[in-house]
Amino acid sequence: MRYVSTRGEAPPVTFSDAMVRGLAPDGGLYVPDSWPTVEASTGSGLHEVASLVIGAFLDGDPLATSVDSICKNALSFPIPIVRDESGTYLELFHGPTAAFKDVGARFLAECFDRLEDRERTILVATSGDTGSAVASAFSGKPGIDVGILFPRDGVAARQRHQLTCWGGNVRSLAVTGTFDDCQALLKQALADPRWRAERKLTTANSINIGRLLPQVVYYAYASRELAQPSGSGIGVIVPSGNVGNATAALWAKRIGFPIREVVMALNSNATVDDYLASGEWRPRPSVETLANAMDVGNPSNMERIFSLYPDVDRLRRDVRSFVVDDATIREVIRSRALASGRVLDPHTAVASQALGLVDAGEPWLIVATAHPAKFETIVEPLIGRAVELPPALAEQLARPSSFATIAPSLGELEGAMSR
Ligand SMILES: *Cc1c(COP(=O)(O)O)cnc(C)c1O
């Protein structure tokens, strides 16, 4: 199995090479050059399904012999399927930083850990969940220097603490600027030949194939657990921003798992919804919402979806979308807590609202992407009580916090990463 660029102008590479590069040299995103078939009925339990699925995608890769241990270490927390009156949920938030990004970040860290030359620098620009997941996953990994760039005034107090409590090989850098400034600085460093060569710089953002692939696993697993042998498969409702998680669901469907359709639940950043309606792709600047990890106006993983579905009509048969505004997010959090006792984070609330808009009668799975305790300033006033902290989160919040403040310039970044 080789990996090729969505733009078709880069040589095919192994999974390991695609992961180390992040972005293909032609600016495209890596996708597999062919689709493995995985017998959907084989394997039982999350780890067995993981080894089968990842093993198929890593066929011929130097990491192929380590698939079992990579999956076991990366998926070291439960991913339960939980039913209550309000729906069936795939809870992806039981990892160390309480959001689904732990799955991709931990898988990536396990893979990097097993590369032959593992000395490198990993930078990530973040406005929240990605940074803490990457910091947690790479914390203490020998040979790897991590830099987390976040907007100094653009993250909530609890989020900031989660980004700055690691120490050791993780440097937390508060950038005097916006998230876009952080991302621009990261791109500048990635484009700099000296950073690439001397520091062996790479990035762990969501375009990396090593973050996307492990997400296929939980869709494969859940669809197998829930689909009826004679039915048309399950529908999954995915709170979506950069649409990586929804892409993973479509890849699970593509390799033969019983997924009927994928619903992208969107906040007011409606670029994908407009595309499905009009057939025209018109990216735009993002707008701020309560579900801030989905504030994306130009979703990067759409490029992978275009390569899987060159024809929009074909895409419309497998994918629908719904847009949910902030007032509705608030209402959903309040009403679900009253009706079923389930406390939703703002991202999962978007998916829960979408459930009310699709055909009842078919089996649906709501993807729960974050623990509500991460968004307590939004959630607690709406439900009128405190949300209990998951133990890992409580432990992080009890650690000391430390970070350096830098201006968005390569010189300052260099200085901070050299200390
Ligand atoms: C990142 C994130 C999303 C969006 O996922 P994409 O793969 O970018 O579509 C949704 N919910 C939460 C909590 C997130 O952290």
Side-chain angles (χ1 to χ4, degrees):
M1 167 99 34
R2 285 285 185 275
Y3 288 79
V4 292
S5 167
T6 46
R7 301 196 182 165
E9 305 284 327
V13 294
T14 62
F15 169 82
S16 292
D17 283 341
M19 181 185 73
V20 169
R21 283 165 199 264
L23 205 62
D26 63 356
L29 275 57
Y30 282 111
V31 291
D33 68 348
S34 61
W35 295 97
T37 37
V38 179
E39 183 46 62
S41 61
T42 51
S44 67
L46 185 66
H47 286 144
E48 263 184 51
V49 173
S51 292
L52 281 170
V53 169
I54 299 297
F57 278 101
L58 263 62
D59 188 30
D61 192 87
L63 291 173
T65 50
S66 314
V67 165
D68 289 351
S69 67
I70 290 172
C71 291
K72 198 162 140 275
N73 293 355
L75 298 167
S76 59
F77 51 89
I79 299 188
I81 298 168
V82 180
R83 279 193 194 83
D84 64 31
E85 294 139 61
S86 65
T88 304
Y89 297 83
L90 180 64
E91 292 187 350
L92 300 177
F93 53 69
H94 297 283
T97 70
F100 82 92
K101 300 219 167 58
D102 283 325
V103 173
R106 291 175 63 79
F107 183 86
L108 196 66
E110 291 299 322
C111 288
F112 270 111
D113 210 20
R114 287 169 176 78
L115 293 179
E116 240 167 51
D117 59 333
R118 54 182 182 181
E119 309 265 312
R120 56 192 81 239
T121 299
I122 294 185
L123 282 183
V124 62
T126 184
S127 56
D129 295 336
T130 291
S132 48
V134 168
S136 161
F138 285 91
S139 171
K141 293 279 185 210
I144 300 180
D145 275 332
V146 182
I148 308 287
L149 307 171
F150 63 95
R152 186 186 61 181
D153 303 320
V155 296
R158 213 173 252 186
Q159 255 178 342
R160 169 190 298 246
H161 203 106
Q162 264 197 298
L163 291 169
T164 58
C165 68
W166 304 98
N169 64 329
V170 177
R171 291 181 174 81
S172 303
L173 305 172
V175 176
T176 53
T178 62
F179 170 65
D180 290 337
D181 294 324
C182 297
Q183 207 155 26
L185 181 56
L186 169 64
K187 284 193 179 147
Q188 219 184 323
L190 284 169
D192 188 300
R194 219 168 42 80
W195 273 76
R196 279 212 87 109
E198 285 171 24
R199 291 188 172 268
K200 302 227 292 198
L201 177 64
T202 185
T203 178
N205 65 0
S206 80
I207 48 107
N208 195 307
I209 185 77
R211 278 189 49 188
L212 187 63
L213 210 48
Q215 295 175 218
V216 176
V217 169
Y218 47 72
Y219 291 108
Y221 164 71
S223 65
R224 259 197 36 145
E225 290 288 308
L226 295 174
Q228 302 292 331
S230 56
S232 52
I234 61 159
V236 296
I237 307 180
V238 188
S240 294
N242 257 325
V243 307
N245 211 3
T247 302
L250 291 168
W251 285 15
K253 178 177 172 62
R254 181 69 184 73
I255 62 172
F257 284 88
I259 293 172
R260 191 179 67 249
E261 71 169 308
V262 175
V263 167
M264 294 192 194
L266 306 169
N267 62 22
S268 295
N269 292 279
T271 309
V272 178
D273 195 67
D274 289 348
Y275 172 67
L276 287 169
S278 71
E280 289 192 39
W281 182 243
R282 291 192 219 98
R284 63 204 66 167
S286 63
V287 296
E288 275 181 39
T289 75
L290 295 174
N292 64 0
M294 291 152 50
D295 291 348
V296 182
N298 185 8
S300 50
N301 276 294
M302 251 343 251
E303 206 163 316
R304 288 191 167 111
I305 293 184
F306 291 142
S307 97
L308 192 58
Y309 295 93
D311 172 15
V312 68
D313 284 320
R314 186 66 196 80
L315 180 64
R316 284 171 180 140
R317 271 190 263 153
D318 289 354
V319 176
R320 273 191 285 170
S321 62
F322 294 98
V323 173
V324 179
D325 64 18
D326 274 1
T328 310
I329 291 175
R330 284 201 177 85
E331 185 44 40
V332 168
I333 294 172
R334 195 181 356 239
S335 63
R336 296 294 185 278
L338 272 178
S340 71
R342 175 167 279 266
V343 181
L344 301 171
D345 88 281
H347 307 81
T348 310
V350 174
S352 174
Q353 171 66 9
L355 178 66
L357 306 171
V358 294
D359 5 281
E362 299 275 13
W364 288 102
L365 181 65
I366 296 172
V367 177
T369 48
H371 193 286
K374 288 194 93 159
F375 301 92
E376 87 288 3
T377 55
I378 298 167
V379 172
E380 289 181 351
L382 291 169
I383 64 167
R385 60 186 159 89
V387 181
E388 206 183 319
L389 278 171
L393 206 51
E395 192 264 318
Q396 286 154 29
L397 296 177
R399 289 186 204 166
S401 147
S402 79
F403 59 91
T405 302
I406 63 166
S409 84
L410 212 50
E412 295 222 357
L413 178 62
E414 174 108 59
M417 289 302 290
S418 304
R419 270 193 287 280

